[in-house]
Amino acid sequence: MSKPNKPITIKEIARKLRISPSTVSRALNDHPSIGLVTTMRVKKLAEELKYEPNQTAIFFKQRKTFTIGVILPKLSEPFFASAISAIEEVAGDQKFTVLLGQSLDNPERELNIINSFRTHRVDGILMSLGKNTTNLDFIESLHKYEIPIVFFDCVPEDVEVPKVYCDLSTGIQEAVQAFAERGHTQIALVNGPETLNASVERMLSFKKALEDHGLPFDDKYVVYSDLSEEGNYAAMEKLRMLADRPSAILAFNDYVTLDIIKFAKEKGIYLGHDVHVISFANYSMWKYMDNPPLGSIEQYPAEQGAQAAKILFQLIDKKESDAPIPNHILASKLVYQ
Amino acid sequence: MSKPNKPITIKEIARKLRISPSTVSRALNDHPSIGLVTTMRVKKLAEELKYEPNQTAIFFKQRKTFTIGVILPKLSEPFFASAISAIEEVAGDQKFTVLLGQSLDNPERELNIINSFRTHRVDGILMSLGKNTTNLDFIESLHKYEIPIVFFDCVPEDVEVPKVYCDLSTGIQEAVQAFAERGHTQIALVNGPETLNASVERMLSFKKALEDHGLPFDDKYVVYSDLSEEGNYAAMEKLRMLADRPSAILAFNDYVTLDIIKFAKEKGIYLGHDVHVISFANYSMWKYMDNPPLGSIEQYPAEQGAQAAKILFQLIDKKESDAPIPNHILASKLVYQ
DNA sequence: TTGTACGCGTTATCAT
DNA sequence: ATGATAACGCGTACAA
């Protein structure tokens, strides 16, 4: 019940035992050259005094903080919440702690966070890019400081950096196949903003999947939304106005799908009958809904986060940067509701 | 485009300018005793050399890390994701970073995380207790180390610690009133495990709310669940087996409500007609559902997190511990869907 | 106004 | 097997 206002240090232990601080240090670290007796005495006293090494001193000395920084758009997104949850678990296993920063899709905030991480001397960074990020100079900057960075989910294109992401084409193939098997020929894509990589990728894979299944591709069945509720409604309205409406829809993500469901309800369109929907990223919510989408394409946020973290720890461990740049691409998968 | 393999230090700047390191240090910190000219020269060179102070050294020296630790059960819970999202924003404003730890409701993990935080010399801790935590000795332990801790949401009872939480009684009053106004007299409570404070609190407030509205309280209308799907089903089955079934249900949380919805669908019970439901914690999901609950009782996770963070920073700033223990109780509120 | 000297807690190196 | 010393980068009392 003593009150250690001043934390116990190695020096104090040394003084009380009338030995040198270096001996204490070595004893505590099980250095082989220290005698068993001394080691025991030191450890015993350290225990009694409730000695706790001052990590800030160790960080300072070892130039290592056992800390990684994670930057992602928004923590309250279920997708990213799952990812960071998995990252934290992997990091914990490695005795690393996780520093947190959310960019809110703001490039300026992203840079601030990265700078903050750098001044905090994190050992590495995991990052999922915000929607509006265009300037990627910070990658080179981090490289100079020898801080490894691994991207996940929303990763930069055409840049040689370690990244982990989900290949949407496999899931889209499955989705189109699922539609085709059910006799659909007029399949629409409610896509995100044309400027987004994620949109382009969906579009290209969608087109290819149609071709692979011998289905015609028609521009009018691809509509774009800014992902706001109004945008989603406007996109749906475009489809509704068509002479031959689509009987199946691939939706940009689950949020879009929710708006599609709402739109359909308001317009008296019977989901799962008049039109069938498949979307991206899997909510456990769906099973509770009366007319859930046919399925959604799972992108495995937890796996992406865990995988990215593992790669980052490999990079942190071996300074050798002559190894090939590690990438990891997960296959997306259609999951039926 | 120079490659600063070894980060620039104050010493180097001093050497290049042929002045002493202390002068450089003072100049960079705008110490009044340093001449304007010298200050400018130093700052200019520091800029050119892209000098970045070594935070680990500063942390070490100042015995302060500008870091807070946040412990909560599970990050992928939307409730906690919102909370930590708000916490991170408040911390960022104060130039603090956030260390993360999830307990997964495991008391052992909780202690490990706290120890990890302590060895990392965090300046303070925010914590939401796991469901299974009984031993609260760590609070006293942290007190000895003079590490302030503020609890939020799931807070310890009968312990004099700073805490922020939501008073459920106001929301429950509103819920019971809403039911009463609609003519319900047989109102059930599908509660969580009897051992949980959260359950006891709901139960007591529920009972009082019934009395306040002149409604009878009947034990048989209070059923308990372990919050698993099976448990929720079993609890609902108990209510279904009653001679006079309840026409209204207050549910422990939204997860329970989802199972209630599923149960009702399977048993052919028409929700919003045969039986009405109000639950706790608000999902934006509800608006997309065909028969959402009547409402839910909002507990404001973001506000709780932000408020707890603000209190923690006050505690960190003023070492004076003779001030009264700051508590902050938010009123819960019924939100109609 | 500036420089000197020291200390924060730990560990690596060299000596004994 | 153990001790003495230096060093990590920075801030600051004290001296000049």
Side-chain angles (χ1 to χ4, degrees), chain B residues 197-209:
Chain B
N197 279 339
S199 303
V200 176
E201 188 187 359
R202 281 162 173 74
M203 167 67 180
L204 294 177
S205 295
F206 175 63
K207 192 169 178 180
K208 178 159 189 319

Side-chain angles (χ1 to χ4, degrees), chain A residues 77-134:
Chain A
E77 288 278 339
F79 185 92
F80 292 118
S82 296
I84 190 123
S85 178
I87 290 170
E88 195 271 340
E89 289 195 50
V90 174
D93 292 344
Q94 308 269 347
K95 307 293 177 201
F96 271 65
T97 52
V98 175
L99 273 182
L100 209 58
Q102 44 187 349
S103 66
L104 309 176
D105 286 322
N106 177 348
E108 199 182 337
R109 276 189 72 108
E110 272 177 342
L111 292 182
N112 286 340
I113 295 167
I114 287 179
N115 282 332
S116 159
F117 284 176
R118 201 183 51 217
T119 56
H120 274 257
R121 296 287 204 270
V122 297
D123 297 327
I125 292 179
L126 291 175
M127 180 168 192
S128 188
L129 290 169
K131 291 196 210 316
N132 311 312
T133 309
T134 52

Side-chain angles (χ1 to χ4, degrees), chain B residues 123-273:
Chain B
D123 296 326
I125 292 179
L126 291 175
M127 180 169 192
S128 188
L129 290 169
K131 292 197 210 317
N132 311 312
T133 309
T134 52
N135 187 338
L136 296 175
D137 291 349
F138 64 86
I139 297 179
E140 202 191 341
S141 161
L142 286 175
H143 190 71
K144 276 192 225 152
Y145 287 103
E146 295 184 316
I147 301 175
I149 181 169
V150 177
F151 290 89
F152 69 97
D153 186 52
C154 200
V155 305
E157 283 202 330
D158 313 321
V159 186
E160 285 286 309
V161 280
K163 40 190 158 184
V164 175
Y165 59 96
C166 220
D167 171 24
L168 298 185
S169 68
T170 54
I172 292 177
Q173 282 282 347
E174 291 177 33
V176 169
Q177 180 174 349
F179 283 144
E181 283 170 353
R182 284 161 180 74
H184 297 278
T185 54
Q186 295 164 337
I187 308 174
L189 169 63
V190 178
N191 212 351
E194 274 186 273
T195 51
L196 233 59
N197 279 339
S199 303
V200 176
E201 188 187 359
R202 281 162 173 74
M203 167 67 180
L204 294 177
S205 295
F206 175 63
K207 192 169 178 180
K208 178 159 189 319
L210 288 179
E211 287 164 1
D212 288 352
H213 288 85
L215 294 172
F217 171 79
D218 193 337
D219 262 339
K220 73 182 174 194
Y221 286 142
V222 177
V223 290
Y224 293 90
S225 162
D226 62 1
L227 303 181
S228 70
E229 184 165 346
E230 297 74 34
N232 295 335
Y233 267 57
M236 284 299 291
E237 190 60 25
K238 267 194 194 168
L239 293 179
R240 198 173 74 100
M241 282 304 148
L242 292 176
D244 39 353
R245 294 184 192 167
S247 63
I249 295 177
L250 186 59
F252 183 77
N253 64 22
D254 276 341
Y255 293 111
V256 172
T257 303
L258 287 170
D259 282 333
I260 292 177
I261 292 174
K262 200 146 156 274
F263 178 91
K265 206 196 292 185
E266 289 173 18
K267 301 295 181 185
I269 301 170
Y270 186 13
L271 230 67
H273 185 266

Side-chain angles (χ1 to χ4, degrees), chain A residues 52 55 85 88 102 118-119, chain B residues 52 55 85 102 118-119:
Chain A
E52 307 252 5
Q55 288 291 358
S85 178
E88 195 271 340
Q102 44 187 349
R118 201 183 51 217
T119 56
Chain B
E52 308 251 6
Q55 287 292 357
S85 178
Q102 44 187 348
R118 201 182 51 218
T119 55

Side-chain angles (χ1 to χ4, degrees), chain A residues 237-298:
Chain A
E237 191 59 25
K238 267 195 195 166
L239 292 180
R240 198 173 74 100
M241 282 306 148
L242 292 177
D244 39 353
R245 295 183 191 166
S247 63
I249 295 177
L250 186 60
F252 183 77
N253 65 21
D254 276 342
Y255 293 111
V256 172
T257 302
L258 288 169
D259 281 333
I260 292 177
I261 292 174
K262 202 148 156 271
F263 178 90
K265 206 196 292 183
E266 288 173 19
K267 302 295 180 185
I269 300 169
Y270 187 13
L271 230 67
H273 184 267
D274 300 334
V275 65
H276 298 256
V277 180
I278 290 179
S279 70
F280 290 88
N282 204 28
Y283 270 120
S284 55
M285 285 306 139
W286 295 131
K287 71 172 164 179
Y288 297 102
M289 303 205 31
D290 294 341
N291 49 355
L294 179 58
S296 45
I297 297 171
E298 175 63 55

Side-chain angles (χ1 to χ4, degrees), chain B residues 84-129:
Chain B
I84 190 121
S85 178
I87 290 169
E88 194 270 341
E89 291 196 50
V90 174
D93 292 344
Q94 309 270 346
K95 307 294 176 201
F96 272 65
T97 51
V98 175
L99 273 182
L100 211 55
Q102 44 187 348
S103 65
L104 308 176
D105 286 321
N106 178 346
E108 199 182 336
R109 276 189 73 109
E110 271 177 341
L111 291 182
N112 286 339
I113 295 168
I114 288 179
N115 282 332
S116 159
F117 283 177
R118 201 182 51 218
T119 55
H120 275 254
R121 295 288 205 271
V122 296
D123 296 326
I125 292 179
L126 291 175
M127 180 169 192
S128 188
L129 290 169

Side-chain angles (χ1 to χ4, degrees), chain A residues 9-29:
Chain A
T9 70
I10 276 186
K11 284 183 186 171
E12 290 180 69
I13 297 179
R15 192 162 38 76
K16 299 206 177 184
L17 254 37
R18 299 173 179 283
I19 56 180
S20 90
S22 31
T23 305
V24 175
S25 170
R26 283 181 280 223
L28 290 173
N29 291 310

